[in-house]
Amino acid sequence: LSSSSAASDVYKRQVSTQSTGALSWSSMAQPDFMDQGAYSTSGAFVQDGAYGGQAGGFQTPSQGFSDPGSSQFYGGSMNQGTPGYENDPPILEELGINPDHIKRKTISVLHPMKKLESDLIDDADMAGPIANCLLLGVTLMLRGQLQFGYIYGISALSCSGMWLLLNLMCTHTEIDIYRTISVLGYCLLPMVMFSAFAVFFSMKGLVGLVFGAVIITWCTHSSADMFITIINDPDLAWLIRYPVFLLYTCFALIVVF
């Protein structure tokens, strides 16, 4: 009987041990954070208690990530501080081309007796001279003469020489190379007209001699007056006219022959 009672006690202790172990394993398998936090209705995982005591944590993609196409993806509204194309300056203004100055300076060349306006004196526009050289080369090309090398070569040498001469003659006023190129290039416009007429009419006879002399005088007078206005020294008028006269005579000879 004593052995039977002892065996019964051993059996009860084993059963009790197994039950206690099952309960302990069950409590270990149950996640502790379920009591300390839960998923919110919006899909975000709410964390509190032992994990920091504040809301936050994991969120669903709809809450935690922004759509790359939305403005919030870039840290704010795309309409704030973003310049639009309508606020950009015109392309001609960005390139430094002023159509109004080109028009007024061209009129000053075509009307030599008109007084040069003050804001055009310091204008160093390059669009007009380049366009006039191109037009002169195109009109010569229409007659079967490809003279772009002569045009740009003579222009470069004459502008450099004229700029040096003006600064040597006039010590109280300095003129830069850009204004020199601008004046000589704009005053080439009558020569372009002369070359355009030569496309339709031969300029190798008396007509070409008279017409060429008028054009050379026109170009010389316009450019010399502009230079005199810039340096503000009328006493140097003839000293300026002579080299300018030689320059436009070279262009006239290219046009005629």
Side-chain angles (χ1 to χ4, degrees):
L1 291 173
S2 60
S3 63
S4 165
S5 146
S8 176
D9 291 340
V10 171
Y11 176 75
K12 289 180 180 180
R13 283 198 298 270
Q14 290 177 353
V15 170
S16 176
T17 303
Q18 291 176 358
S19 301
T20 304
L23 289 173
S24 299
W25 176 256
S26 175
S27 62
M28 291 177 63
Q30 181 70 23
D32 231 1
F33 63 80
M34 293 298 293
D35 295 330
Q36 298 169 350
Y39 286 92
S40 66
T41 56
S42 61
F45 175 73
V46 180
Q47 182 180 356
D48 57 7
Y51 292 94
Q54 60 182 358
F58 300 98
Q59 295 180 346
T60 60
S62 61
Q63 297 289 333
F65 299 98
S66 298
D67 183 11
S70 66
S71 60
Q72 295 180 354
F73 183 78
Y74 298 96
S77 175
M78 294 179 66
N79 296 327
Q80 297 178 356
T82 304
Y85 288 105
E86 63 276 2
N87 297 326
D88 290 343
I91 185 65
L92 293 179
E93 184 178 341
E94 291 184 354
L95 294 175
I97 300 175
N98 192 331
D100 181 62
H101 276 204
I102 295 174
K103 176 183 175 182
R104 289 159 56 197
K105 203 163 187 178
T106 302
I107 293 175
S108 299
V109 172
L110 297 177
H111 194 325
M113 300 302 174
K114 184 179 180 180
K115 185 179 179 181
L116 187 65
E117 299 177 16
S118 58
D119 59 335
L120 297 179
I121 294 177
D122 296 329
D123 184 30
D125 176 58
M126 293 292 170
I130 293 174
N132 287 338
C133 289
L134 286 173
L135 288 174
L136 181 60
V138 169
T139 53
L140 290 173
M141 190 170 59
L142 293 175
R143 297 166 50 196
Q145 300 179 9
L146 196 61
Q147 305 288 357
F148 285 99
Y150 286 105
I151 292 171
Y152 284 106
I154 294 175
S155 299
L157 291 175
S158 59
C159 289
S160 302
M162 195 68 196
W163 168 70
L164 181 62
L165 182 63
L166 288 172
N167 284 281
L168 289 175
M169 289 192 301
C170 184
T171 56
H172 62 275
T173 302
E174 184 178 357
I175 179 172
D176 54 54
I177 185 67
Y178 302 107
R179 282 194 290 176
T180 305
I181 296 173
S182 182
V183 170
L184 294 177
Y186 269 101
C187 293
L188 191 65
L189 183 58
M191 194 64 63
V192 175
M193 298 168 55
F194 179 49
S195 181
F197 278 111
V199 175
F200 305 100
F201 308 100
S202 177
M203 295 294 173
K204 292 185 179 180
L206 182 61
V207 176
L209 180 62
V210 175
F211 198 15
V214 172
I215 293 298
I216 293 171
T217 304
W218 189 354
C219 295
T220 302
H221 179 73
S222 298
S223 59
D225 281 357
M226 286 188 181
F227 282 130
I228 292 169
T229 304
I230 292 173
I231 65 177
N232 195 21
D233 193 351
D235 296 335
L236 300 176
W238 288 103
L239 292 176
I240 294 174
R241 290 191 179 106
Y242 178 67
V244 173
F245 171 80
L246 294 178
L247 166 63
Y248 291 114
T249 300
C250 292
F251 282 115
L253 292 175
I254 293 176
V255 172
V256 172
F257 299 104

